[in-house]
Amino acid sequence: MQSAIFVPLLLVAGGTLLPAPSGGARAAPADPLPSWNDTAPKKALTAFVAKVTKDGSPDFVPPAERVAVFDNDGTLWCEQPIYVQFAFAIDRVKALADKHPEWKDQQPFKAVLEGDHKTLAASGEKGLAAILIATHTGMTIEEFETTVTDWLATARHPKYERPYTECVYQPMLEVLAYLRANGFKTFIVSGGTVDSMRPWAEKVYGVPPEQVVGTTFKTKYTAKDGKSAVVIEPNIDLIDDHAGKPVGIARAIGRRPLMAFGNSDGDFEMLEYTTTAKGSRFGLLVHHTDAAREFAYDRKSPVGKLDRGLDEAAKRGWVVTSIKDDWKTVFPTKK
């Protein structure tokens, strides 16, 4: 964002500052969302930000109340063909299998080890919970963070063959930066576990650990021989999905958001909680419509299903962004 104060100087390539032309013409302000097409979603987003940040506007919102919440999977980074955290958990099952010989005959671990995706999918939320508990608990938060960081350093997306942290959406990175430049505090509110996101969210999204809200396990404090730690216990405390998202927001943030961004029916209650509050509010759904550059999916997808949200977005005043139609690019330039 350019400063509102015009500095009549031009910086040339060699680093020399020169006076601006005497005609008094100003350079056009830089587009804060260059990866977005100039279609209705971009216009609605920037118009909303303008009206709630303009002093004297009837819709003006003080900076302290400018809270924006973002789902992670499918909203900030790619969630297909499987959730990234699930890919991590599967690799962890394989890495730990030698210490758990019983898994060879115990579902859903048997399905993981045999690559039986059909049986694994059929295990549902109960099977996923069992895998998460087995691979995400029983260690200190620091130990788990190291495990996540090490995995992300070598794991690659099966389609794009690049690190998962480079499969983030460039248009949404721009939205995060744009909102922060306009006095918003940005939070991640995800169904993924909070401990799996905090190690990298600040580097990738500019969102610090204390602004990451997610599924949580129960924890306990331990201290021995002058060393202290918090240990992740094998009991889920909150599933931060669907109706759990408003609960997570109320617990961790303490304010109703001004803006909410999601992509699936798992985000429905978060957008509803945001946009039914008093005053001007904004909700946006990312609709995955681009099979060529990313993936195309919605109503029937087992990952990131968007059905009810499509049906009710218009009457609730939510913006639906088509990746195919509204984004100039999807991912950042490959490093």
Side-chain angles (χ1 to χ4, degrees):
M1 293 293 291
Q2 285 191 335
S3 170
I5 301 174
F6 178 66
V7 181
L9 295 170
L10 295 176
L11 181 63
V12 299
T16 304
L17 289 172
L18 299 176
S22 58
R26 296 185 180 184
D31 183 353
L33 303 175
S35 296
W36 290 69
N37 289 320
D38 290 324
T39 48
K42 177 179 179 178
K43 293 175 182 177
L45 173 57
T46 54
F48 179 85
V49 171
K51 75 178 182 179
V52 298
T53 58
K54 183 179 180 181
D55 285 322
S57 165
D59 297 298
F60 177 78
V61 176
E65 298 175 19
R66 296 177 197 168
V67 171
V69 293
F70 293 77
D71 168 60
N72 183 43
D73 298 305
T75 301
L76 294 179
W77 74 355
C78 184
E79 65 183 352
Q80 291 280 354
I82 61 173
Y83 297 116
V84 177
Q85 186 166 358
F86 202 19
F88 164 75
I90 287 173
D91 282 353
R92 289 299 298 156
V93 168
K94 294 175 181 177
L96 296 170
D98 288 344
K99 298 179 180 179
H100 296 274
E102 71 277 9
W103 285 355
K104 295 179 181 179
D105 301 306
Q106 181 182 339
Q107 296 291 9
F109 306 101
K110 183 174 185 289
V112 171
L113 297 175
E114 294 178 353
D116 183 353
H117 300 298
K118 184 177 181 180
T119 299
L120 183 59
S123 69
E125 291 185 3
K126 184 177 179 180
L128 176 58
I131 290 172
L132 290 180
I133 288 172
T135 57
H136 289 55
T137 68
M139 64 193 92
T140 69
I141 289 176
E142 290 83 0
E143 288 169 342
F144 183 72
E145 287 181 347
T146 297
T147 301
V148 170
T149 302
D150 290 346
W151 182 80
L152 285 172
T154 59
R156 296 293 182 269
H157 189 282
K159 178 177 179 178
Y160 305 112
E161 297 183 348
R162 59 197 289 181
Y164 286 102
T165 49
E166 293 180 20
C167 295
V168 295
Y169 301 134
Q170 178 62 31
M172 297 306 292
L173 295 179
E174 293 168 4
V175 171
L176 287 166
Y178 172 57
L179 293 183
R180 289 193 288 261
N182 280 278
F184 280 81
K185 185 175 283 189
T186 54
F187 291 81
I188 294 173
V189 180
S190 173
T193 64
V194 68
D195 297 316
S196 70
M197 295 181 287
R198 284 178 171 168
W200 54 269
E202 188 164 24
K203 180 179 179 180
V204 175
Y205 299 137
V207 177
E210 65 272 19
Q211 290 168 216
V212 176
V213 183
T215 294
T216 53
F217 292 96
K218 292 184 177 179
T219 54
K220 67 177 181 181
Y221 175 74
T222 63
K224 186 177 180 181
D225 299 329
K227 296 181 181 179
S228 61
V230 173
V231 176
I232 306 169
E233 297 197 289
N235 294 291
I236 294 176
D237 180 42
L238 171 69
I239 297 178
D240 195 64
D241 199 23
H242 290 281
K245 290 201 171 189
V247 174
I249 290 169
R251 281 188 188 182
I253 302 175
R255 291 185 186 273
R256 285 214 191 195
L258 195 64
M259 306 180 77
F261 299 79
N263 78 292
S264 74
D265 285 350
D267 305 313
F268 190 96
E269 289 84 353
M270 179 174 75
L271 268 71
E272 181 177 57
Y273 182 64
T274 298
T275 58
T276 55
K278 293 181 180 179
S280 295
R281 306 280 164 164
F282 183 89
L284 182 146
L285 288 168
V286 175
H287 188 194
H288 293 266
T289 55
D290 199 326
R293 295 186 298 174
E294 201 233 7
F295 295 89
Y297 61 98
D298 46 40
R299 297 184 186 275
K300 297 182 179 181
S301 177
V303 176
K305 179 180 179 180
L306 179 62
D307 186 24
R308 184 185 178 192
L310 283 179
D311 290 340
E312 298 192 27
K315 69 180 181 180
R316 291 175 176 271
W318 299 345
V319 174
V320 178
T321 296
S322 164
I323 290 180
K324 182 177 181 180
D325 298 332
D326 300 319
W327 288 2
K328 293 178 182 178
T329 187
V330 177
F331 302 117
T333 301
K334 195 169 184 179
K335 297 178 181 178

